[in-house]
Amino acid sequence: MRILSVSVMPVLFLVIIASGLFRRVPVFEAFTDGAKEGLKTAVRILPALVGLIAAITMFRSSGLLTFLTGCLSPVTEKLGIPAEILPLALLRPVSGSGSLALVEDLLTAHGPDSLVGRIASVMMGSTETTFYTLAVYFGSVGVKDTRFSVWAALLADMTAMLVSVWVCRYFFG
Amino acid sequence: MMNYVWAGMIAASYLFAFFTGNVEAVTKGAMDGAQRAVEMVFGLCGMMCLWTGLLEVARRSGLTDALAKLVRPLLSLLFPDLKKEPAAKSAIVMNMTANFLGLSNAATPLGLAAMEELSRINGKSKRASDAMCMFVVINTASITLLPNTLLALRSAAGSTDTFGILVPVWICSIASVIVGTMAVAMLSRREARRR
């Protein structure tokens, strides 16, 4: 698994650059044009993250977060989920920037390579902002009756969340 | 929704701190958090730009189109109703490819174009078609080769094993897509039987 994880980037780099040169794409120009997009994204998410990370840090320093996770841990531990992860699992389908802020908080508080940090990373990486996606996609074509979509999407999210806990415990626990 | 969550968190923090005598720590937390957010985004920035830059090279050299060709056979399995709808299929493939590469800025317009096409096939009905449900659920399940924001965040947080989470992410994504698509297939069949 380690080899696979480490080799993804080198392979992508070489394949992309090589095929660019092969197709006579001005690779450096294309790169800088694309990098501009990354910069725009970063600037776009900044205001929301300032507000959210500030609020989450307040929540944590008040002691309320520790208090709440303490209350929840007997329930979550039966499922093998660390209680620290639960707020992320609840917020993830609702808010993309909110959950990104929570992941940042967990990585800072527990370390990115701790079990909690890894579970949070995997959960974040393998899920989407479900309700936002549903609203934008169905809303754009005026669909009111979405039938069973919400349940199927949430079932998929729950699967990703539970599997992320199990997989991390198996690989890193 | 987010308005209440955000306001509630701040209000609850001060209220709780008032009873436990932590008020100063909460104020300090607000300032530290704001500072950290900026540091985090700056930390992310370099890696995000590196990735979006690389992807632009991939797009211009036709790699995304090549990838789209690989995805195509999967489509008839997931969207049996779209056999004779090449326009819808190609929009769906483009959206999936963009998502797979983590090009979320490009994926949304492509996805909306696909929805437009599916809505036309569905006679602009207010009721979602099977294909629409399948397409949207696949989009909410997120299948991404490299979750770039997350990887940048991990490296900015000082991880010594930034990419170590990739294989677990793929395993979870695949599991959730399988469950999501199977749920859609089963639920739509159950509805059809009830009619």
Side-chain angles (χ1 to χ4, degrees):
Chain A
M1 187 184 91
R2 176 131 195 96
I3 299 167
L4 198 58
S5 306
V6 172
S7 54
V8 175
M9 278 311 261
V11 169
L12 278 172
F13 255 100
L14 295 176
V15 168
I16 291 173
I17 300 292
S19 70
L21 289 175
F22 183 70
R23 291 290 192 87
R24 309 213 174 277
V25 171
V27 281
F28 187 66
E29 267 172 58
F31 175 83
T32 49
D33 283 351
K36 233 179 271 167
E37 286 303 308
L39 197 62
K40 273 189 211 151
T41 310
V43 171
R44 205 187 58 225
I45 61 175
L46 180 61
L49 285 177
V50 169
L52 288 163
I53 293 181
I56 289 166
T57 315
M58 291 167 85
F59 204 65
R60 183 180 285 284
S61 22
S62 72
L64 193 52
L65 187 67
T66 324
F67 176 74
L68 285 179
T69 49
C71 297
L72 292 169
S73 59
V75 186
T76 58
E77 247 141 53
K78 285 216 174 89
L79 292 164
I81 304 170
E84 294 88 345
I85 294 290
L86 204 64
L88 177 63
L90 295 176
L91 195 63
R92 180 67 188 115
V94 184
S95 162
S97 48
S99 46
L100 190 63
L102 269 183
V103 172
E104 193 274 347
D105 182 64
L106 287 172
L107 295 189
T108 313
H110 299 268
D113 299 324
S114 64
L115 184 62
V116 170
R118 285 179 191 269
I119 295 175
S121 304
V122 174
M123 201 176 270
M124 185 72 195
S126 59
T127 47
E128 256 295 334
T129 318
T130 297
F131 285 106
Y132 173 79
T133 309
L134 285 167
V136 170
Y137 276 53
F138 281 127
S140 77
V141 290
V143 166
K144 296 275 185 299
D145 180 6
T146 61
R147 296 162 69 196
F148 42 75
S149 304
V150 177
W151 302 113
L154 286 181
L155 197 65
D157 281 349
M158 264 167 61
T159 309
M161 284 166 184
L162 286 176
V163 174
S164 63
V165 175
W166 298 335
V167 170
C168 286
R169 280 201 190 276
Y170 178 76
F171 282 135
F172 312 111
Chain B
M1 173 78 188
M2 213 45 221
N3 292 323
Y4 294 111
V5 173
W6 190 69
M9 275 177 77
I10 294 176
S13 306
Y14 269 125
L15 204 65
F16 191 80
F18 183 74
F19 288 112
T20 53
N22 258 354
V23 176
E24 275 170 60
V26 175
T27 307
K28 190 171 175 303
M31 293 189 287
D32 287 350
Q35 173 76 24
R36 237 173 53 219
V38 177
E39 282 164 12
M40 167 195 149
V41 172
F42 273 106
L44 285 177
C45 223
M47 203 171 144
M48 292 264 286
C49 292
L50 186 69
W51 183 233
T52 50
L54 207 55
L55 282 177
E56 183 61 24
V57 178
R59 199 183 61 76
R60 289 197 200 170
S61 52
L63 270 182
T64 36
D65 298 335
L67 192 63
K69 276 205 190 96
L70 290 176
V71 184
R72 214 165 263 272
L74 257 179
L75 239 61
S76 36
L77 188 72
L78 292 171
F79 301 96
D81 303 342
L82 300 182
K83 271 205 184 92
K84 291 181 181 113
E85 302 288 352
K89 274 207 267 194
S90 95
I92 290 172
V93 166
M94 292 301 290
N95 163 269
M96 282 182 172
T97 317
N99 269 327
F100 182 69
L101 291 173
L103 292 158
S104 42
N105 285 346
T108 309
L110 290 168
L112 296 184
M115 283 305 277
E116 198 65 51
E117 201 51 40
L118 293 177
S119 164
R120 188 187 58 74
I121 294 165
N122 197 26
K124 310 238 179 225
S125 165
K126 286 198 188 317
R127 187 169 186 276
S129 65
D130 284 354
M132 280 175 166
C133 294
M134 185 60 94
F135 179 60
V136 173
V137 169
I138 290 172
N139 259 282
T140 65
S142 150
I143 334 168
T144 306
L145 180 65
L146 284 187
N148 51 9
T149 316
L150 177 76
L151 290 172
L153 182 59
R154 285 180 59 77
S155 110
S159 169
T160 53
D161 187 21
T162 310
F163 294 92
I165 53 134
L166 276 184
V167 175
V169 165
W170 297 337
I171 294 174
C172 294
S173 296
I174 292 169
S176 78
V177 168
I178 291 175
V179 168
T181 49
M182 278 178 39
V184 171
M186 285 189 331
L187 289 169
S188 68
R189 229 167 270 169
R190 202 184 66 170
E191 269 193 11
R193 234 181 288 136
R194 278 196 186 163
R195 295 191 157 203

